[in-house]
């Protein structure tokens, strides 16, 4: 699975959009980009995933560049409850047995 | 539908003791996995399973055993606990196939003294 690189921390004002970048320059054609987040010390929570196209769900949007070497997770109207560590993970199709390799993630602080 | 259930939530062990962390899921997921998370770190994969009777090692398997006799359960055994195994342990499950999401339990906080 491709290695991903994320900034260690980011701040965002409440009500504004939070844009979290992820670099995955060695990603292969059959690797999905997944985003999870971990609030405080709870179990990680799935947010969104994509392969080639941009994706949107009720939680967030995922923008993947055309060359697939980077992506951005967008939380359109961040709230204080979005303060968490966000993990970007590249994972081959077929889920590879569900084995997720986590990096250090980005610690997002949403401030009033 | 309870999702992924881990027991116990908290445990204190003495060095050298053994114990089993329990993980059960009621979503009929084929894949299950165990992770540990040390303070200030991301999760690291210990063992995983793609189905009943099949297990494999992850990034940090030493000191842990697993078995998968049923689809629902995936227990993690600490053979002889060491202080270095003090951590928070998370279990996860996911369905087989492309683009499926993982569901995590709420974790077991283990302290080895």
């Amino acid at each position: 699975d491709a290695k991903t690189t994320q900034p260690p921390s980011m701040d965002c004002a409440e009500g504004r959009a939070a844009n979290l970048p992820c670099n995955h320059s060695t990603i292969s054609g059959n690797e999905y980009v997944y985003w999870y987040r971990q609030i405080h010390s709870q179990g990680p929570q799935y947010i969104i995933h994509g392969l080639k196209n941009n994706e949107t769900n009720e939680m967030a949007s995922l923008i993947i560049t055309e060359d697939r070497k980077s992506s951005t997770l967008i939380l359109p109207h961040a709230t204080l409850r979005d303060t968490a560590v966000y993990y970007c993970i590249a994972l081959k199709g077929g889920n590879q047995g569900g084995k997720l390799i986590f990096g250090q993630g980005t610690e997002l602080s949403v401030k009033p | 539908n309870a999702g992924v259930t881990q027991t116990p939530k908290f445990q204190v062990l003495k060095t050298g003791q053994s114990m089993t962390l329990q993980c059960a899921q009621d979503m009929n997921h084929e894949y299950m996995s165990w992770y540990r998370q040390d303070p200030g770190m991301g999760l690291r994969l210990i063992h995983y399973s793609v189905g009943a009777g099949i297990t494999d090692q992850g990034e940090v398997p030493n000191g842990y055993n697993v078995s998968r006799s049923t689809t629902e359960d995936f227990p993690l055994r600490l053979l002889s606990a060491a202080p270095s195994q003090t951590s928070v342990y998370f279990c996860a499950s996911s369905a087989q196939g492309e683009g499926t999401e993982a569901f995590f339990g709420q974790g077991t906080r283990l302290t080895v003294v």
Side-chain angles (χ1 to χ4, degrees), chain A residues 67-107:
Chain A
D67 62 8
R68 301 187 71 241
K69 292 185 177 182
S70 65
S71 60
T72 301
L73 177 74
I74 301 172
L75 308 178
H77 305 286
T79 71
L80 299 178
R81 287 176 294 180
D82 292 321
T83 292
V85 179
Y86 288 76
Y87 295 100
C88 169
I89 300 169
L91 187 64
K92 284 193 175 71
N95 210 2
Q96 282 207 308
K99 52 174 190 171
L100 300 172
I101 304 300
F102 288 81
Q104 294 300 305
T106 295
E107 186 167 7

Side-chain angles (χ1 to χ4, degrees), chain A residues 32 34 36 38 49 94-95 98 100, chain B residues 35 37 45 94 98-100 102:
Chain A
Y32 289 79
Y34 278 79
Y36 286 82
Q38 187 176 27
H49 74 277
N95 210 2
L100 300 172
Chain B
Y35 301 82
Q37 186 173 32
L45 180 67
S94 57
E98 293 200 14
T100 61

Side-chain angles (χ1 to χ4, degrees), chain A residues 4-101:
Chain A
T4 61
T5 305
Q6 301 175 250
S9 63
M10 293 182 64
D11 290 340
C12 178
E14 187 178 20
R16 305 297 293 268
N19 297 285
L20 290 87
C22 180
N23 181 285
H24 32 78
S25 58
T26 61
I27 198 168
S28 60
N30 65 347
E31 284 185 296
Y32 289 79
V33 178
Y34 278 79
W35 284 84
Y36 286 82
R37 73 180 182 184
Q38 187 176 27
I39 297 173
H40 196 45
S41 296
Q42 299 176 20
Q45 175 191 25
Y46 166 82
I47 302 173
I48 198 167
H49 74 277
L51 185 60
K52 296 179 182 177
N53 300 322
N54 298 337
E55 302 288 344
T56 295
N57 63 20
E58 65 278 5
M59 290 181 66
S61 294
L62 174 61
I63 309 298
I64 303 174
T65 58
E66 194 169 339
D67 62 8
R68 301 187 71 241
K69 292 185 177 182
S70 65
S71 60
T72 301
L73 177 74
I74 301 172
L75 308 178
H77 305 286
T79 71
L80 299 178
R81 287 176 294 180
D82 292 321
T83 292
V85 179
Y86 288 76
Y87 295 100
C88 169
I89 300 169
L91 187 64
K92 284 193 175 71
N95 210 2
Q96 282 207 308
K99 52 174 190 171
L100 300 172
I101 304 300

